[in-house]
Amino acid sequence: MAGLGSYRRPLPGTQPDYLFAPYASTLKRAPTRPLVMLPQTLTELTGPVFGRDEVKPGDADLTRQHKGEPIGERIIVSGRVLDENARPVPHTLVEIWQANSAGRYPHRTDQHDAPADPNFTGCGRVLTDNNGGYRFVSIKPGAYPWRNHPNAWRPAHIHFSLFGPAFVTRLVTQMYFPGDPLLPYDPMFNCVPDEGARQRLISAFDLDTTIPEIALGYRFNIILRGPGETPMERKS
Amino acid sequence: MSLHATTSQTVGPYLHIGMTWLIIDKLAPRKVAGERISIAGRVIDGDGKPVTDALLEIWQADARGNYGKPGFRGFGRVATDAKGAFKFTTIKPGRVAGPGGQLQAPHIAVNIFMRGLLKQLVTRIYFADDPANAEDKVLELVPAQRRATLIARQVGKRGALQWDVILQGRDETVFFDC
């Protein structure tokens, strides 16, 4: 598209392929035919905007959605959403979901024999601020077993869903916790060969955002695709 | 300073917890101008089984070919049910600018998320019998024998369209890399 520029291609090794045999569910769901290269047209360069009327301030605190407090280690998860040129992505929707502290989801298909927590749904959302910043209050999710391979366990993680300014900036990812011994065994965490890319999925413990006697702070910055060398036509 | 986009990860089997607070299956309130359509279909995996845990996101222009104008956001989000089925109602989008400044045929962009996808699938819905399909530069990039997978067809009454997502095999839906 003349004048509109386009978003960068991923650095090789930093984004997963669809077919990844160690993650068994990809086998019957990954495309088997070649993808068709799609030029980024106005359709791909635009995207939906979400407003303050859809996201309430309380939606970012997962510990205050029920009568009582959830069981578990209280955490503050905060960070910034930036593009690949390190520009903040303001006012974009961030959705998260996670297991409770015992590794159980309140979902009809979760059969894990671990206690449910009536005070924890594990769902939150927020709009980033002017500087691309976001902040959630939650509890640390537990690890849980899955049936991908014998004795398979997912490391503790929080699902993140982000929109950014365009159809092509849409990203769903997972945030992990530092020092988790399950990470080397997890096919999802290890779905890309680039070691740096994997490490960037791990949040950092952060004393600055830790609230004394209340909650541990973890920092997790998220990078969305950014405009390439051709400058984007910017609308004021 | 140059950074690299965060690695995509699957939505997993419990996506509903975080994503179904925002189900939008009626994209166009009554006052929005345009030809009313409904698009229904199923998502089918490589074993021919329905995918009961998929989520589709829709992005489209209004009837005049504008994205994100006040009154019509053009965004939808639907989940598949126990039969792998989804449905949404909207208006048929107008033509928008495409490669080389030539107008594209009316189309809807779709992102598909599910367990077993480490990143979303990208596809498009076009409309059967739209004469603009014949000159669409994106459709031209698709092998002719596979183009039908991108085209919603009328079933039953006017405006009721069907479009299925076949993940693998002979009739595999065309997915894009953009």
Side-chain angles (χ1 to χ4, degrees), chain A residues 18-216:
Chain A
Y18 289 105
L19 183 63
F20 183 63
Y23 176 25
S25 293
T26 66
L27 297 176
K28 295 296 181 184
R29 294 184 166 192
T32 62
R33 305 285 193 95
L35 302 183
V36 174
M37 285 298 299
L38 177 66
Q40 294 175 13
T41 73
L42 193 59
T43 304
E44 289 73 35
L45 297 172
T46 51
V49 173
F50 300 92
R52 302 274 165 199
D53 52 331
E54 289 170 297
V55 183
K56 299 169 198 68
D59 292 342
D61 188 342
L62 284 68
T63 68
R64 305 227 176 262
Q65 296 175 344
H66 299 276
K67 273 186 183 167
E69 277 216 72
I71 299 290
E73 207 176 293
R74 258 186 243 111
I75 58 173
I76 309 290
V77 178
S78 64
R80 293 182 76 199
V81 182
L82 306 171
D83 73 12
E84 290 173 301
N85 302 312
R87 291 196 190 95
V89 182
H91 316 302
T92 199
L93 178 61
V94 183
E95 303 169 285
I96 65 167
W97 65 101
Q98 63 165 91
N100 72 20
S101 61
R104 180 80 189 263
Y105 286 91
H107 193 280
R108 62 190 158 75
T109 64
D110 187 358
Q111 303 296 314
H112 178 31
D113 183 18
D117 186 339
N119 291 313
F120 193 70
T121 302
C123 163
R125 49 199 168 262
V126 76
L127 294 174
T128 56
D129 64 22
N130 291 335
N131 297 312
Y134 75 88
R135 181 179 184 272
F136 288 104
V137 180
S138 190
I139 49 107
K140 189 173 179 186
Y144 60 84
W146 59 316
R147 292 176 179 163
N148 187 69
H149 56 273
N151 207 9
W153 291 79
R154 293 296 331 277
H157 62 274
I158 299 177
H159 295 266
F160 274 73
S161 156
L162 300 102
F163 282 82
F167 180 78
V168 297
T169 56
R170 187 82 176 88
L171 173 74
V172 174
T173 188
Q174 298 180 29
M175 181 201 102
Y176 299 92
F177 291 85
D180 193 321
L182 293 169
L183 287 172
Y185 305 100
D186 184 49
M188 287 183 200
F189 175 73
N190 293 290
C191 70
V192 290
D194 188 290
E195 171 69 14
R198 292 199 297 268
Q199 292 302 315
R200 288 192 291 274
L201 294 175
I202 305 174
S203 58
F205 172 69
D206 181 34
L207 204 57
D208 289 342
T209 52
T210 292
I211 307 175
E213 298 178 40
I214 301 286
L216 296 173

Side-chain angles (χ1 to χ4, degrees), chain B residues 81-131:
Chain B
D81 65 15
K83 293 177 176 168
F86 64 88
K87 183 179 181 181
F88 60 92
T89 60
T90 184
I91 48 155
K92 184 179 174 183
R95 302 182 67 177
V96 303
Q102 192 179 332
L103 289 175
Q104 303 186 60
H107 64 275
I108 294 173
V110 184
N111 267 326
I112 304 173
F113 302 88
M114 67 182 79
R115 170 179 63 84
L117 289 181
L118 287 161
K119 57 186 174 185
Q120 65 262 37
L121 287 169
V122 175
T123 187
R124 282 185 169 196
I125 304 171
Y126 287 82
F127 299 90
D129 305 326
D130 194 308

Side-chain angles (χ1 to χ4, degrees), chain B residues 4-85:
Chain B
H4 299 296
T6 303
T7 298
S8 178
Q9 297 268 275
T10 182
V11 293
Y14 309 122
L15 71 166
H16 308 94
I17 294 170
M19 300 177 90
T20 56
W21 67 279
L22 186 70
I23 290 294
I24 301 174
D25 60 358
K26 296 178 181 66
L27 278 74
R30 199 178 292 267
K31 62 178 187 286
V32 175
E35 180 190 340
R36 304 279 141 178
I37 56 171
S38 68
I39 298 181
R42 293 206 306 158
V43 182
I44 304 295
D45 75 9
D47 284 329
K49 290 181 180 154
V51 174
T52 60
D53 55 2
L55 186 115
L56 287 76
E57 287 183 353
I58 296 130
W59 177 237
Q60 67 163 94
D62 67 15
R64 307 183 75 168
N66 294 311
Y67 281 103
K69 280 278 164 84
F72 183 69
R73 180 160 58 185
F75 174 77
R77 177 189 270 182
V78 292
T80 56
D81 65 15
K83 293 177 176 168

